[in-house]
Amino acid sequence: TITASSRLARLGLNAQWRSLIEETFLADSPVAYYPLGEPEGSTLAADVSGLGAPPLRMVGAGSAVTFGQATGPGTDDLTAATFVASGKTLAASTPPQSYAGISVDMFFLATAAPAFTSFFVGGRDLATTFGIGVTSSGVPIAAVGGTFNGPTNICDGLTHHLALTWDGTTGRLYVDGVEVNNAASAGSPEIGAMIVGNTFMAMTAAHAAQYGTALSAARVLAHAT
């Protein structure tokens, strides 16, 4: 048997690149990354980090998460996941791993605030939620041990990039690449789960990712841009 391969193929130079957003997120080595661009009829969302994180599966009762019908950020050609109030959410669990810092980010769109404060992207640390949500007033809220809010309503029918970082001492909340609030928070957070969506929220989500580092302000801005 004779086989052959070109030098270009061996170097991977003919490999297809992902969208600009995916390549930007992947440049920061996420430990779990879900673009949420699955085709219509899908029942789970795959991780593309390359680290083998489990897929996000639908949990809870009510209407299913819908893939393939909504559009995500305008700079890629992927679709996005649609969640309805009183519907299912997406979740995955992994063996907890400790990191010196952690981050989570996602693109988000909602036209109305939930009836109750709802966290819709993040994971778990040693004792509480590490993640981002919105209050019943539509302002962003972050949880890093304690909670702290952003200043303005983001349930305005526009696509927003949200990010939360923790560097071992301080949690920082970003909206569209700009830091809007921060709070001191000590502890040793672990990443052992990923959630996307909340049963009280009607929303569209795309590009949900977790990182085992605290993303710098410059990198958060790059993701948002």
Side-chain angles (χ1 to χ4, degrees):
T1 300
I2 300 175
T3 60
S5 177
S6 72
R7 289 186 176 90
L8 288 178
R10 291 173 66 86
L11 291 171
L13 297 182
N14 60 346
Q16 183 176 357
W17 281 51
R18 293 183 175 273
S19 70
L20 177 60
I21 295 176
E22 290 172 286
E23 294 292 347
T24 303
F25 277 41
L26 289 168
D28 288 307
S29 303
V31 296
Y33 175 27
Y34 306 91
L36 303 176
E38 276 71 19
E40 188 173 353
S42 298
T43 59
L44 51 78
D47 163 67
V48 300
S49 69
L51 299 180
L56 294 175
R57 301 183 183 276
M58 295 187 203
V59 297
S63 300
V65 179
T66 303
F67 293 98
Q69 294 187 2
T71 56
T75 51
D76 71 0
D77 59 358
L78 298 178
T79 58
T82 305
F83 302 77
V84 299
S86 300
K88 295 182 178 180
T89 61
L90 297 173
S93 296
T94 57
Q97 297 187 55
S98 297
Y99 297 92
I102 53 178
S103 304
V104 63
D105 68 343
M106 186 182 78
F107 286 95
F108 156 89
L109 181 151
T111 58
F116 310 96
T117 295
S118 301
F119 288 91
F120 51 74
V121 63
R124 299 290 296 182
D125 66 12
L126 291 177
T128 187
T129 299
F130 176 88
I132 309 169
V134 293
T135 69
S136 58
S137 300
V139 299
I141 182 171
V144 189
T147 61
F148 53 96
N149 292 8
T152 57
N153 176 27
I154 59 171
C155 296
D156 54 5
L158 301 175
T159 298
H160 295 284
H161 177 262
L162 306 176
L164 176 62
T165 69
W166 183 87
D167 61 5
T169 58
T170 305
R172 302 182 187 279
L173 174 64
Y174 297 81
V175 176
D176 298 329
V178 177
E179 183 178 335
V180 296
N181 204 352
N182 64 75
S185 178
S188 300
E190 297 176 331
I191 296 177
M194 179 68 164
I195 60 165
V196 178
N198 186 290
T199 189
F200 299 114
M201 281 291 297
M203 54 180 268
T204 300
H207 300 285
Q210 288 180 337
Y211 308 82
T213 59
L215 294 175
S216 68
R219 292 309 301 161
V220 172
L221 179 60
H223 289 204
T225 302

